[in-house]
């Protein structure tokens, strides 16, 4: 499993950020590029401000490689890969395609399993794993497990949006508490202070 899981922001069902995370994959024409550029900029700014915090939390000197969680739904060209490999300056020079879904990926259901993905061999590198949304976390955790099984030393996962549905369980309570803190670029996701 990942040594750290760091969401950029909550993505609440029916609200703007969750909508943008859906549209960057599903919109057509110029709208698609608009949403992809916007989310690439979000990732770039977030990592510029907080990658050092993630690195410190994981006690590693750097993340040698950046990769993405691939789709298991049959999407051949996932837009997240293009954002990380081509658009975001904080990641493009370190990007490598490491993971591919295995033939049994779809049969694993919701369980996290290193068997969901196959990874290229690694020799103790530290990997920054990027995913777009975290609902149950099983795909990202499966990817992290596969990277570690392939030889990664440390794996930290950055997720653009932590997807929440306020109608589920006690999620409304959690969201009410989160709304009191409000989003700020300066707020560190891993330390109890900001960067100003």
């Amino acid at each position: 499993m990942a040594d750290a899981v760091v969401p950029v922001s909550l993505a609440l069902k029916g609200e703007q950020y969750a909508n943008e995370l859906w549209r960057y994959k599903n919109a057509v024409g110029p709208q698609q590029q608009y949403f992809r550029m916007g989310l690439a900029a979000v990732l770039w700014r977030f990592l510029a401000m907080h990658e050092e915090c993630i690195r410190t939390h994981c006690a590693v000197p750097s993340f040698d490689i950046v990769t993405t969680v691939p789709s298991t739904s049959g999407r051949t060209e996932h837009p997240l890969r293009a954002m990380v490999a081509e658009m975001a300056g904080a990641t493009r020079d370190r990007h490598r395609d490491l993971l591919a879904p295995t033939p049994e990926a779809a049969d694993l259901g919701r369980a996290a399993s290193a068997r969901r993905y196959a990874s290229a061999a690694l020799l103790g590198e530290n990997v920054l794993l990027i995913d777009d949304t975290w609902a149950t976390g099983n795909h990202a955790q499966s990817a992290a497990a596969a990277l570690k099984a392939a030889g990664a030393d440390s794996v930290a996962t950055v997720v653009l949006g932590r997807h929440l549905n306020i109608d589920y369980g006690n999620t409304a309570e959690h969201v009410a508490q989160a709304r009191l803190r409000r989003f700020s670029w300066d707020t560190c996701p891993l330390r109890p202070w900001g960067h100003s």
Side-chain angles (χ1 to χ4, degrees), residues 21 37-38 40 98 107 120 126 143 191 194-195:
L21 285 164
M37 292 294 287
L98 295 177
D107 300 329
N126 302 309
R191 299 177 182 181
H195 291 282

Side-chain angles (χ1 to χ4, degrees), residues 18-117:
N19 182 42
E20 291 184 16
L21 285 164
W22 182 87
R23 284 160 105 42
Y24 98 101
K25 290 188 278 193
N26 300 297
V28 294
Q31 271 196 354
Q32 187 180 69
Q33 188 67 4
Y34 171 81
F35 288 111
R36 290 179 185 185
M37 292 294 287
L39 289 171
V42 166
L43 177 64
W44 192 342
R45 182 168 183 187
F46 180 81
L47 290 177
M49 294 187 76
H50 300 291
E51 185 172 346
E52 183 178 340
C53 304
I54 300 166
R55 179 190 59 70
T56 300
H57 177 82
C58 293
V60 298
S62 64
F63 290 104
D64 314 300
I65 298 170
V66 179
T67 197
T68 58
V69 178
S71 173
T72 57
S73 65
R75 188 186 296 263
T76 55
E77 287 294 322
H78 198 291
L80 180 63
R81 186 215 171 270
M83 285 169 36
V84 171
E86 300 163 18
M87 296 178 176
T91 56
R92 69 176 158 236
D93 292 340
R94 296 177 287 159
H95 176 267
R96 280 182 50 202
D97 289 316
L98 295 177
L99 296 160
T102 62
E104 64 183 314
D107 300 329
L108 291 172
R110 293 181 173 253
S113 170
R115 296 185 344 251
R116 186 180 305 276
Y117 299 104

